[in-house]
Amino acid sequence: MAAKSYALAPAAARGLWLEAQRLLAPEPFGSGPAATRQAVEHLGYVQIDTINVIERSHHHILFTRIPAYRRGELATAQSADKSVFEYWTHALAYIPSQDYAHFVPAMKERREKPGTWYEGIDRNEYRALLKRIRDTGPLSIRDIDDEVLVEKDHPWASRKPSKRLLQYGFYAGELTISARAGMVKSYELTERHFGWDKRPKPSTERQYAAYLLARAVRAQGLISLDSICYGDLGAKKLVRGLIDTAVRAKRLVPVHLEGAAEVQHWAPPALLEMAPPEAGEAVHILSPFDPLVIQRKRLSLFFGYEHRFEAYVPPGKRVLGYFALPVLLGDRVVAALDLKTDRQGKKLLLQKWTWLMPEQQGWREKIEGELGRFEQFQLAAGSEDDGQPLGAFP
């Protein structure tokens, strides 16, 4: 007999997800370098993206949860403490180094089946590149200035053939990104970077499925099969088996949002027994790549708002703007702001303000207050001291 599914009011569901995402407490991870490591470990991944009309997404996501966050703390985690590494989840992301073993199988598969993008690489040139890094240390694409340039065969390709070799080594796990300056990456031999004699033993498929399930429970609170396996659809069968086992053992309880019984969710019993989290009226200006936003269907189900990412939409067809940021006020997405940082003029430009809900008294003032703090963070991008205010929101 199937376990009974309990209905949750949408407000309660939102509160549980926001609490799991650590968006309710003012400083859920504290401050300083340890906060960055703890945030990445709790969330499971922090997505990286190249768009920089405002601060890049990985810094933005961390700033949202660490009010005193400084960009150098992520560099410390990656290059000095080595508590995070870069690899592919549903996109390129920072991942806790403690989870490295769960990504070794994907690296092995890339070595055995390079795919069309990498199958034509010159193996002798690749071995020579590895030797160069072994002999001279970490290498970025900018350090390579002694090769014959070629015509691009893809918009995202490079005229330097070595870029594809470095990327292959990264996805195959033989190289890791040891440091990053903006979007310029330095590649190092994986074992030497981490100080390993050899890479960790790869997790089994079942261990990987258990990792996905545990990560989702921790960072999402209420979980669905789609939310657990976002970017890992092939793991669904094993994950569903683990969920069924957990339900029989009463470690998970079936739940659904009122009015949406067709989308099955589960939650730990202790989560449902706790007092509903108070959302308050805190304001967060979210990255479109924030874990709360990136799963668009889940965002729509919980918040009644389907975010439009319009950076690749023709200008005449945009509704919210090129790089609109959802604004979370309490437990509601109430507005979207299309922002751009004018770094030379030392100000944050408001391109467009779109109300997603009927404006209520006091909302604009609260959002403008957070915009002032957000601007200070944006304009400190190149500063040694991220805490120094460099402008005021107009």
Side-chain angles (χ1 to χ4, degrees):
M1 181 178 177
K4 178 183 177 182
S5 181
Y6 295 89
L8 283 178
R14 289 194 297 272
L16 292 172
W17 189 16
L18 291 171
E19 173 64 24
Q21 277 290 302
R22 299 299 186 258
L23 289 171
L24 296 183
E27 288 187 295
F29 301 105
S31 61
T36 294
R37 173 184 57 78
Q38 291 170 15
V40 179
E41 288 178 355
H42 178 82
L43 295 172
Y45 62 84
V46 171
Q47 184 171 337
I48 300 168
D49 194 79
T50 60
I51 296 176
N52 69 334
V53 292
I54 61 165
E55 183 52 87
R56 298 189 200 274
S57 62
H58 39 289
H59 293 306
H60 184 172
I61 292 165
L62 291 169
F63 169 74
T64 300
R65 293 159 178 83
I66 307 172
Y69 171 72
R70 298 167 184 264
R71 293 157 186 79
E73 292 163 357
L74 184 56
T76 296
Q78 179 173 30
S79 302
D81 299 342
K82 299 167 187 176
S83 58
V84 303
F85 74 104
E86 295 185 33
Y87 204 67
W88 194 266
T89 54
H90 66 280
L92 188 63
Y94 286 100
I95 305 167
S97 296
Q98 65 186 20
D99 296 336
Y100 192 95
H102 298 301
F103 296 85
V104 174
M107 298 171 184
K108 181 175 183 291
E109 183 176 6
R110 184 55 61 94
R111 291 195 299 275
E112 295 174 351
K113 300 176 182 177
T116 56
W117 186 252
Y118 299 110
E119 63 186 3
I121 64 171
D122 188 308
R123 292 289 172 171
N124 290 328
E125 291 182 0
Y126 177 62
R127 284 190 287 270
L129 180 68
L130 293 181
K131 183 178 185 304
R132 179 172 176 176
I133 295 173
R134 187 176 297 111
D135 292 345
T136 63
L139 194 68
S140 78
I141 190 67
R142 289 184 180 174
D143 297 325
I144 302 173
D145 55 10
D146 56 354
E147 61 182 330
V148 177
L149 302 182
V150 298
E151 293 299 320
K152 289 187 178 185
D153 57 0
H154 188 277
W156 292 349
S158 171
R159 296 192 65 201
K160 291 184 176 182
S162 55
K163 180 178 180 180
R164 193 166 301 194
L165 299 178
L166 289 168
Q167 289 176 330
Y168 169 74
F170 167 74
Y171 284 111
E174 295 177 311
L175 298 175
T176 197
I177 296 171
S178 59
R180 179 184 278 272
M183 297 306 287
V184 179
K185 297 162 281 192
S186 293
Y187 295 83
E188 171 65 293
L189 301 177
T190 299
E191 286 83 353
R192 188 163 68 188
H193 172 73
F194 287 106
W196 297 334
D197 292 329
K198 58 182 180 179
R199 273 166 284 174
K201 181 181 178 182
S203 64
T204 64
E205 289 185 350
R206 185 176 178 82
Q207 287 170 335
Y208 180 67
Y211 153 74
L212 292 178
L213 176 57
R215 185 181 74 181
V217 169
R218 182 179 67 245
Q220 298 174 10
L222 304 178
I223 57 173
S224 70
L225 197 55
D226 283 342
S227 75
I228 299 165
C229 298
Y230 184 68
D232 289 283
L233 298 181
K236 276 190 171 183
K237 183 177 180 180
L238 278 174
V239 168
R240 182 56 203 254
L242 293 174
I243 291 172
D244 291 342
T245 299
V247 170
R248 288 194 295 271
K250 299 184 178 180
R251 296 193 303 272
L252 289 176
V253 175
V255 295
H256 61 271
L257 275 66
E258 290 177 354
E262 69 280 4
V263 183
Q264 185 65 69
H265 287 78
W266 296 267
L271 193 68
L272 302 176
E273 292 166 2
M274 63 183 281
E278 292 287 339
E281 293 190 329
V283 176
H284 294 295
I285 300 170
L286 299 173
S287 167
F289 303 108
D290 193 281
L292 194 80
V293 179
I294 194 63
Q295 294 197 36
R296 306 284 192 249
K297 290 182 179 179
R298 179 176 168 92
L299 180 71
S300 177
L301 179 66
F302 280 65
F303 288 87
Y305 167 64
E306 188 167 347
H307 183 65
R308 291 173 57 94
F309 182 67
E310 299 177 333
Y312 304 115
V313 174
K317 295 184 178 181
R318 291 175 189 153
V319 175
L320 302 178
Y322 176 81
F323 200 66
L325 309 178
V327 178
L328 181 71
L329 196 162
D331 69 344
R332 295 285 190 175
V333 180
V334 301
L337 307 181
D338 186 23
L339 301 176
K340 180 178 181 179
T341 302
D342 178 357
R343 296 178 177 91
Q344 289 186 338
K346 294 187 177 180
K347 57 185 177 180
L348 186 65
L349 304 177
L350 176 59
Q351 314 272 69
K352 186 174 184 179
W353 183 313
T354 304
W355 286 109
L356 304 171
M357 299 180 65
E359 180 183 359
Q360 295 185 22
Q361 185 176 3
W363 281 9
R364 183 176 291 272
E365 290 77 10
K366 290 179 183 295
I367 294 170
E368 286 179 343
E370 180 60 17
L371 275 170
R373 195 178 77 89
F374 193 68
E375 181 187 52
Q376 291 180 17
F377 171 65
Q378 297 298 315
L379 299 176
S383 171
E384 290 293 321
D385 185 349
D386 288 4
Q388 292 298 315
L390 299 178
F393 189 74

